[in-house]
Amino acid sequence: MTIENHRRFVAIVSAGLPIPPDLQDWYIRAYERYLKTNEPLCTCLGISGAGVRRALIQRRDMFLKMAAKNCKRNRGESLWSMCKILSDQIKRYPRSKDENIWLIHLFELDCQLPQEPHSLFERIKPLVKNHYSASKNPSE
């Protein structure tokens, strides 16, 4: 919930709208905790920590999967081949941003991105499931 509060807070402030009372209370309580404990403000707001990091990595990996799919040049192209193309695009960013719409989303996350093909492959492979119909069984 706190990460959602943060997203709402940023959206409202960015739009120049008045901050609703529930968000004011959330922020003021967190700021008071920050002043008393000297903990990082992000911790007091509840927008850092293992759960938030895990959610960020899951989101990053889903964006990596979509970015890799966007690298498909031919039907039946292997995931490895797509990871090699994506690796090149990530290394050349921002010059490559027009080649793959998902790159912008990935770099907006502001988290570490794997750059080597084998690292990308290891992150994306568990997310990709091959579904075959009976008529398109690869063993036939």
Side-chain angles (χ1 to χ4, degrees):
M1 179 64 178
T2 54
I3 194 72
E4 290 305 317
N5 280 347
H6 178 66
R7 287 185 181 129
R8 280 182 53 218
F9 187 82
V10 170
I12 288 168
V13 169
S14 297
L17 300 172
I19 301 169
D22 66 316
L23 286 182
Q24 290 176 16
D25 292 340
W26 165 73
Y27 190 86
I28 289 169
R29 280 192 314 268
Y31 187 70
E32 288 171 349
R33 178 179 162 195
Y34 163 74
L35 291 175
K36 287 178 187 174
T37 64
N38 205 26
E39 292 179 69
L41 183 58
C42 59
T43 301
C44 297
L45 289 167
I47 57 174
S48 71
V52 173
R53 175 127 176 87
R54 191 174 319 114
L56 179 64
I57 289 171
Q58 287 174 336
R59 187 174 191 161
R60 178 204 64 191
D61 290 351
M62 286 305 294
F63 284 157
L64 286 172
K65 175 186 168 188
M66 300 308 291
K69 279 186 168 185
N70 202 47
C71 293
K72 192 177 224 177
R73 305 269 194 256
N74 302 307
R75 190 166 189 229
E77 189 161 16
S78 71
L79 177 59
W80 176 250
S81 175
M82 291 184 276
C83 287
K84 289 188 341 187
I85 295 167
L86 181 57
S87 170
D88 177 61
Q89 291 174 346
I90 289 172
K91 289 174 184 175
R92 291 186 296 109
Y93 191 84
R95 291 183 323 242
S96 61
K97 69 181 179 184
D98 294 330
E99 297 172 32
N100 192 331
I101 187 68
W102 293 100
L103 291 174
I104 295 167
H105 300 294
L106 279 165
F107 281 90
E108 283 178 349
L109 288 176
D110 196 30
C111 67
Q112 187 171 0
L113 293 176
Q115 293 189 1
E116 297 304 321
H118 67 276
S119 300
L120 292 165
F121 185 83
E122 291 302 316
R123 299 304 310 172
I124 298 168
K125 185 180 178 189
L127 304 175
V128 176
K129 296 180 180 173
N130 293 322
H131 298 283
Y132 297 101
S133 67
S135 64
K136 294 183 181 177
N137 189 335
S139 62
E140 291 180 348

